Amino acid sequence: MTLSSIPLNERPALVRAACKALGVDGFIIPRGDEYLGEYVAPCAERLAWLTGFTGSAGLAAILPDVAAVFSDGRYTVQLEEQVPHDLWERRHISLEPLSDWLAEQANGLRIGYDPRLVSQAMLASWQTPGVELVALAHNPIDQAWADRPEAPASQVMPHPVEFSGESSADKRLRLGQALSRAGHDAAIIADCTSLAWLLNIRGSDVPLTPVAHGYAILHADGTAEWFVASERLSAGVMDVCGSGVTVHAPAELATRLEALKGRTVRVDPVSTAVWFDTTLQAGGATVVDGTDPCTLPKAIKNSVEQEGARQAHAHDGVAMARFLYSLTVSGIGQHETDLVTRLDGLRARSNDYREQSFDAISAVGPNGAFPHYRAQVGHDRVLEAGSVYLIDSGGQYPFGTTDITRTLWVGDQEPPANVREAFTRVLKGNIALSRIRFPPGTTGHRLDVLARAALWQVGMDYDHGTGHGIGSYLSVHEGPQNISPAPRPVALEVGMIVSNEPGYYEPGQYGIRIENLMLVRPSSFKGSKGAFLEFEILSYTPIDRKLIDVALLNDAELNWLNAYHAEVQARVSPHVEPEVAEWLAESCKPLVR
């Protein structure tokens, strides 16, 4: 990633000088931008510009004589490779949090932060005795970054009701009524995916997630004030927004917040920058913490969005079948990055394909042991016979977003027994979660153990969540629901889509993950307290037979797998070339003991 002509080793000194001019001893640099989203535009890659670290999660702190970069276990190797060791310490964000580091290094100092880039929850986690955290009116990174790219200004496009399934006017009225019942006069919409969902718009301001930057104030009467440059609005945008949406220039945001004097305004402490709190309070509004009102409704897909998800996965199933077949013909000898390009090209054979939904994880052998590995041209491995290959990828279609992982054994020789056992135990976890029925009110936390039980039996585990929510032509990572060891008090509801992706990672050797997306639906099964819920599988791609130890599967698991493969063949075969259909028939044959 080329972000500047200024040499990397000269940038810390420029930032330190800017901090001194602003009257602070140091500065904290989060990964996120003003919208606190997962993906950021080039102009907002402040962490990467200053440190060289391009991972999707992390932060840095710079003091007069010392500096550190923080990220999680997914990026340990990447930190070591990208960050200059003579300029930056490398710290694990969970095991060695910023607050501890500040207590050690910054006692008695004034440390600045940009209140437009930091949420209340984030700021609270940084607090430590003896260190004064100071909100700055100017960002020292932006001052030092002389050749910073321009902010994105893509055209905002309509997302018609044929894809959204509900008009913006109806969404706003529904959510406004909920605000009114809660005693709130308005809510700040700062998450770009919430803004996109609420107004039925899409854009291309950041890679891989089709959003347009902007903010909104949603009022309890269902009207909304939208802050976006009017010249960015394409034809038809205001038609899908409907009546009751007023467009303001972004520069008017502070003035319109001050106009809420005497009103009670909901602000999400996780997804909204602290600048909104301080601006509202200074203007005389009463600020109350509360979840973004769009978060839960956005996660519960309506019938149109559910059908769109099925359609997107039908396209994806064809592309994945062609890709996996191609590996048997011309995969060996290809670089990991070449294989990403190949799969992207196969998805692009659909006229409805827009782009990847995230940077694909294409990992050969030991690279697969890093759950969020990203191959880079010139530094990637070659696919070799006798190795494990993991491909985790997804696509954006105007009617849905996909995410799927398959792990394969490359070559004709027999996979080692230990690899087959690990793979089969991961598969058992995937099947257990796929088959479960559960009562309404069940959270993903309660189901997570199902995906791990077969691994736990032999002392194995994986250090990531089992499932996340997925947007509808929006972010591939969407809350509030998840399936994880970490408790989250959000029940799985009909219409939610979650991933099912247990794994196992053997450092220095291989990684295994099997992922399908699943839709929560009502079950015909009724318990003593009424109807239960279950999962509908959305992803239809073969699971590598060579890696399955049938002896480890019980009858119910084997029957489920054979039925799944029969469904894969029935759904995908009519839409692929004869040679791919022939490969698919072999890959989907029933397994027997």
Side-chain angles (χ1 to χ4, degrees):
M1 178 183 295
T2 302
L3 293 169
S4 176
S5 61
I6 304 170
L8 185 62
N9 62 354
E10 295 180 11
R11 299 173 194 175
L14 296 174
V15 173
R16 286 186 169 107
C19 286
K20 185 175 181 180
L22 291 168
V24 292
D25 302 298
F27 188 65
I28 300 170
I29 308 99
R31 166 59 169 68
D33 62 6
E34 293 84 342
Y35 308 94
L36 308 186
E38 180 177 2
Y39 294 102
V40 302
C43 67
E45 290 279 9
R46 297 177 177 92
L47 182 64
W49 178 83
L50 180 59
T51 69
F53 174 60
T54 61
S56 65
L59 57 86
I62 185 168
L63 305 181
D65 300 311
V66 66
V69 186
F70 300 76
S71 192
D72 57 42
R74 297 173 297 172
Y75 295 111
T76 302
V77 173
Q78 192 170 332
L79 276 176
E80 293 297 315
E81 292 179 347
Q82 292 184 325
V83 175
H85 291 198
D86 59 331
L87 299 177
W88 299 92
E89 297 178 15
R90 283 84 54 216
R91 309 270 293 204
H92 192 292
I93 200 166
S94 299
L95 304 178
E96 306 167 295
L98 174 63
S99 57
D100 289 354
W101 189 83
L102 291 175
E104 297 168 3
Q105 303 288 348
N107 189 47
L109 300 184
R110 302 177 77 243
I111 309 302
Y113 67 90
D114 187 336
R116 287 182 176 269
L117 306 181
V118 177
S119 70
Q120 287 284 11
M122 195 183 304
L123 185 61
S125 72
W126 298 346
Q127 300 284 350
T128 189
V131 178
E132 182 183 359
L133 299 180
V134 182
L136 299 178
H138 302 284
N139 189 309
I141 304 289
D142 298 350
Q143 292 183 333
W145 190 354
D147 52 357
R148 183 179 169 216
E150 294 292 325
S154 68
Q155 285 289 289
V156 182
M157 306 299 294
H159 188 61
V161 72
E162 67 182 278
F163 297 140
S164 69
E166 184 181 12
S167 71
S168 172
D170 287 347
K171 292 177 182 179
R172 288 185 280 105
L173 180 61
R174 178 159 59 100
L175 270 57
Q177 291 171 343
L179 287 175
S180 182
R181 289 193 296 270
H184 302 161
D185 297 304
I188 302 301
I189 309 300
D191 180 333
C192 291
T193 64
S194 291
L195 183 69
W197 176 86
L198 180 66
L199 299 182
N200 284 345
I201 58 170
R202 296 296 187 268
S204 55
D205 281 357
V206 299
L208 311 177
T209 303
V211 296
H213 287 158
Y215 300 107
I217 302 171
L218 174 64
H219 295 275
D221 63 1
T223 62
E225 299 179 65
W226 181 16
F227 298 88
V228 63
S230 59
E231 62 268 20
R232 297 185 59 191
L233 306 183
S234 65
V237 164
M238 296 311 297
D239 291 334
V240 298
C241 289
S243 61
V245 176
T246 305
V247 173
H248 298 276
E252 298 178 29
L253 178 58
T255 301
R256 296 307 304 160
L257 293 177
E258 291 165 1
L260 295 173
K261 180 179 180 180
R263 306 290 183 89
T264 299
V265 184
R266 181 190 297 187
V267 176
D268 191 315
V270 174
S271 67
T272 309
V274 297
W275 176 86
F276 284 90
D277 294 71
T278 55
T279 303
L280 285 164
Q281 290 168 0
T286 299
V287 176
V288 294
D289 287 349
T291 302
D292 177 338
C294 302
T295 299
L296 184 59
K298 172 161 56 78
I300 300 173
K301 278 41 179 184
N302 58 45
S303 59
V304 171
E305 292 171 318
Q306 292 176 32
E307 188 55 37
R310 296 184 187 101
Q311 187 178 354
H313 283 85
H315 285 263
D316 238 43
V318 171
M320 284 297 296
R322 287 170 171 156
F323 175 73
L324 297 181
Y325 164 74
S326 78
L327 296 183
T328 67
V329 177
S330 59
I332 292 174
Q334 295 295 302
H335 287 82
E336 293 165 331
T337 51
D338 294 331
L339 295 174
V340 171
T341 302
R342 178 185 295 188
L343 178 52
D344 191 51
L346 289 169
R347 282 196 170 102
R349 289 173 64 174
S350 164
N351 292 331
D352 292 309
Y353 179 63
R354 297 295 180 262
E355 63 179 333
Q356 295 185 93
S357 58
F358 59 99
D359 287 311
I361 299 167
S362 174
V364 174
N367 288 343
F370 303 104
H372 284 248
Y373 168 78
R374 185 196 294 184
Q376 297 182 13
V377 175
H379 301 279
D380 51 344
R381 296 179 71 93
V382 169
L383 192 63
E384 299 176 334
S387 63
V388 175
Y389 176 57
L390 186 153
I391 178 69
D392 183 351
S393 69
Q396 292 284 13
Y397 304 85
F399 33 74
T401 300
T402 70
D403 182 2
I404 185 168
T405 309
R406 288 296 182 264
T407 305
L408 315 167
W409 176 256
V410 181
D412 297 327
Q413 58 266 61
E414 188 75 10
N418 64 313
V419 177
R420 294 179 70 225
E421 178 181 359
F423 181 91
T424 308
R425 290 187 179 277
V426 171
L427 175 60
K428 286 169 71 72
N430 182 285
I431 293 173
L433 192 54
S434 300
R435 297 179 61 237
I436 190 64
R437 298 188 187 108
F438 52 95
T442 300
T443 63
H445 169 67
R446 293 174 62 190
L447 301 182
D448 183 76
V449 65
L450 294 170
R452 300 177 192 265
L455 291 165
W456 286 357
Q457 286 179 330
V458 292
M460 295 177 171
D461 202 358
Y462 51 96
D463 190 19
H464 59 74
T466 300
H468 56 83
I470 294 91
S472 180
Y473 192 39
L474 277 174
S475 176
V476 74
H477 298 131
E478 180 180 271
Q481 78 278 15
N482 73 345
I483 301 174
S484 167
R488 185 176 290 184
V490 177
L492 296 173
E493 297 190 41
V494 171
M496 287 181 171
I497 298 175
V498 291
S499 65
N500 174 2
E501 49 183 309
Y504 178 71
Y505 308 91
E506 191 64 43
Q509 296 186 44
Y510 60 85
I512 294 167
R513 189 161 63 251
I514 304 169
E515 176 187 18
N516 287 334
L517 298 192
M518 309 186 301
L519 170 69
V520 182
R521 69 182 181 187
S523 171
S524 59
F525 176 82
K526 296 188 182 298
S528 59
K529 296 184 179 180
F532 273 44
L533 305 178
E534 64 184 14
F535 293 118
E536 172 189 340
I537 307 301
L538 295 174
S539 313
Y540 283 94
T541 294
I543 296 168
D544 193 356
R545 294 161 53 92
K546 295 191 295 291
L547 283 169
I548 299 172
D549 184 348
V550 179
L552 289 177
L553 299 178
N554 61 37
D555 289 345
E557 292 165 340
L558 185 60
N559 290 339
W560 183 93
L561 182 62
N562 285 337
Y564 174 76
H565 274 153
E567 190 70 16
V568 170
Q569 185 176 4
R571 289 170 179 257
V572 179
S573 284
H575 307 289
V576 296
E577 298 76 14
E579 61 274 17
V580 180
E582 183 179 350
W583 168 85
L584 200 59
E586 184 66 25
S587 300
C588 294
K589 284 197 314 187
L591 285 164
V592 295
R593 297 193 194 285

